[in-house]
Amino acid sequence: MTIRTDAIRKSGPLHWEPSERWVRGTKGGTTVVDSRRPVLVWQPDLPVPCYTFPESEVRTDLLRAARRPDTGAHCGATVFYDLDLDGAVTGNAAWTFPGEELAGHISFEWFGREVLDHWYEEDEEIFVHPRDPHARVDPLPSSRHVRVEIDGVPVAETRRPVLLFETGLPVRYYIPREDVRFDLLTPTDHRTRCPYKGIARYWSWSRGGPGLTDVAWTYPEPVVAAGAVRDLVCFYNEAVDLVVDGERLERPVTVFSAQRP
């Protein structure tokens, strides 16, 4: 099937567009997907896209008809596959979207349930979900005066932050380590992964308090596009008080607010 490359297209409740990125997915050292013609698909019940791949670029010999199909998921998909790799079976690992537009393509569970160990776009590993080409993450060096306070106590202050502008989120203020009061923070074992920035590690406010666990983070080895925030420290705007150029900012309401009383 030939897929147009000139615009986002719609198939029932789905929106999709072709990508020119080389995408690979592996499990246990076995390459399950190796695609140079992936298609990004937006489902109405998910905030992020997924990939679907031409069958010819998927190890279909590793797929079996699902023993217990997850019918009703993924916009009414009716064809589901289990992944059988060296006798280890992962149920409902893949599916095909209904309708003719994306016929001959196979998608893999990813967002919220990663059935493959590693995914790559070109030679860079990506996490959690495919990057949305219509979302931006722009880290910009700045000379703004930024002060971070918790319970009235200054925990960071700098005139050389990096401001990170990310679609759909408030500006994040990344601060050089030399300008952070680490004596007031306690490192934790918490880790999160972001497709746009990489793997983050965290600190909590040492004096405790609701919403102040894992309140600050850093990216020791960010993805290339977010390299400007390497080793800098950021605090949740939702949980701390930020004073920028003398103006105290209101705490934003975001998807993270529920975790930050």
Side-chain angles (χ1 to χ4, degrees):
M1 179 180 69
T2 300
I3 292 184
R4 286 172 49 188
T5 60
D6 55 351
I8 295 179
R9 304 197 65 190
K10 186 174 182 180
S11 177
L14 301 173
H15 289 77
W16 54 271
E17 69 178 35
S19 172
E20 296 185 354
R21 299 184 182 191
W22 175 27
V23 178
R24 286 159 291 151
T26 67
K27 185 177 181 65
T30 297
T31 299
V32 179
V33 176
D34 189 338
S35 178
R36 297 175 188 267
R37 296 177 297 156
V39 177
L40 280 165
V41 182
W42 287 263
Q43 303 176 71
D45 56 342
L46 288 176
V48 296
C50 69
Y51 275 122
T52 193
F53 308 99
E55 290 181 356
S56 61
E57 298 179 337
V58 174
R59 285 285 304 274
T60 55
D61 59 304
L62 301 176
L63 300 179
R64 310 283 183 265
R67 297 176 183 175
R68 298 181 179 85
D70 189 13
T71 55
H74 303 297
C75 297
T78 57
V79 178
F80 287 83
Y81 300 97
D82 295 342
L83 176 65
D84 186 345
L85 186 58
D86 298 327
V89 177
T90 304
N92 290 306
W95 76 92
T96 61
F97 283 110
E100 297 182 359
E101 293 279 12
L102 296 174
H105 285 67
I106 296 176
S107 301
F108 284 79
E109 288 288 359
W110 198 339
F111 178 63
R113 179 176 171 249
E114 299 181 11
V115 301
L116 301 187
D117 297 335
H118 302 282
W119 285 97
Y120 302 88
E121 288 178 344
E122 298 300 328
D123 288 337
E124 184 169 271
E125 185 171 7
I126 53 175
F127 312 103
V128 187
H129 61 80
R131 295 166 179 156
D132 188 331
H134 305 288
R136 293 186 62 91
V137 175
D138 296 315
L140 301 178
S142 176
S143 57
R144 294 190 189 219
H145 180 206
V146 178
R147 187 170 74 252
V148 181
E149 298 177 358
I150 298 179
D151 292 340
V153 179
V155 293
E157 187 168 5
T158 190
R159 291 186 180 274
R160 46 186 186 140
V162 171
L163 275 56
L164 190 135
F165 300 86
E166 182 170 357
T167 302
L169 288 174
V171 179
R172 299 299 192 190
Y173 298 86
Y174 282 79
I175 297 172
R177 285 172 172 265
E178 297 82 1
D179 298 334
V180 176
R181 289 279 309 276
F182 284 105
D183 59 308
L184 299 175
L185 302 174
T186 302
T188 76
D189 293 330
H190 186 53
R191 301 289 185 270
T192 59
R193 300 188 297 170
C194 171
Y196 304 104
K197 299 184 287 293
I199 300 175
R201 48 174 288 198
Y202 287 77
W203 293 269
S204 294
W205 170 238
S206 62
R207 301 182 184 182
L212 296 174
T213 298
D214 302 319
V215 71
W217 69 89
T218 189
Y219 289 96
E221 297 182 5
V223 302
V224 173
V229 302
R230 181 185 298 273
D231 284 332
L232 304 186
V233 179
C234 188
F235 293 79
Y236 275 109
N237 307 41
E238 297 87 342
V240 304
D241 294 313
L242 279 167
V243 182
V244 179
D245 289 338
E247 178 183 356
R248 189 173 297 272
L249 305 185
E250 292 186 11
R251 294 186 183 181
V253 177
T254 73
V255 294
F256 302 103
S257 296
Q259 307 169 26
R260 309 289 158 191

